[in-house]
Amino acid sequence: MKFNKVLENIQTYEAGKPIELVVREFGIAAKDVVKLASNENPIGTNPAIAKVIRSNADIAHLYPDDSMFELKAALSRKFNVQDNNIIIGAGSDQVIEFISRALLDENASVLMSAVTFAMYEIYAKQMGAKILRTASYTHKYDEFMEAYRMHRPKIIYLCTPNNPTGDATSKEEVLKIIDAVDSDTLVVVDGAYMEYAAAKDPQYAITPNDLLKYENVIYLGTFSKAHGLGGMRVGYGIAQAELIKELHKMRPPFNISTLSLAVAIEACKDNSFVEESIALHQEQIKRYEAFAEEQGFEYIESYTNFITYMFDETMDATKIADALLKRGVIIRNLASYGLNAMRITIGTVKQNDVFFKHFLEVIA
């Protein structure tokens, strides 16, 4: 069987290892496994979500409202935008897929930082597009402008805060890049972790309304992180109505489930759970920063719900990650990104206690 040639140069996305894998391979009880690999909310979901799931269980056999009227209305109120500025995806990465299919072909190129969310590249390559990367994992204006002027990419991805590194780009710098780009290039501002950045430092806070005056910019958000709904797969894109209208041509019908739609609507009603989640994170990340300083290795200042530890040649991230996995601690090894580093989701107090205990034993 012959497959599309573009598949030859695409690597399968490597998701964080599930708890079930550790249970199967190492015989560790699920309750004893600490998963700090996929940037899920460590305190779970808003208790009101469970009630919504139970109350909607009897209509799970029905397709959802494909207009997603209530969810769009809730997001409209939340961000002070119009319903026709919004598209809903099964996670924000599905919106990235819509964007790629709508704009890219074998003659196009896509520009992104040296280390960033892998799906930007994967979806672009599926369309045969060329991948351009800056030299730095941070979003440096001069590097982006040099590549932009030379190649005139069809899409520029600005992931802020950036995954998997955790750094962020200020609103001033993001707008500076956008203002320097002409309308033939779409700028995607991926704010999957924006709630964390906004809470840490207002100069890094970007809202969809900050970007709506631009016809060639789209903001991406998700319910997977601060809202704790990773398993429900709901994300969104917000842009000018004409751009959203074109992206809707890429969207399949009923692309999120009946239950996903219901819980996303509920999640928009009360921000106290998000505030609680961020407060825990801000408290616990200080432990990770202090720990790195005590042990003498570097970390990237984080504006997300995770932290990235960077190692020199005396430490091997792959060996450390493998040893932790055998102990029931799952973190994200960043070797596939070309980094001798590991990304750790900031967990609960108990989860973090377990991580530090085993990490110290492993590096000893």
Side-chain angles (χ1 to χ4, degrees), residues 328-344:
V329 179
I330 312 172
I331 55 88
R332 188 63 182 266
N333 176 20
L334 298 184
S336 62
Y337 289 88
L339 298 176
N340 183 25
M342 63 187 200
R343 187 190 72 188
I344 311 133

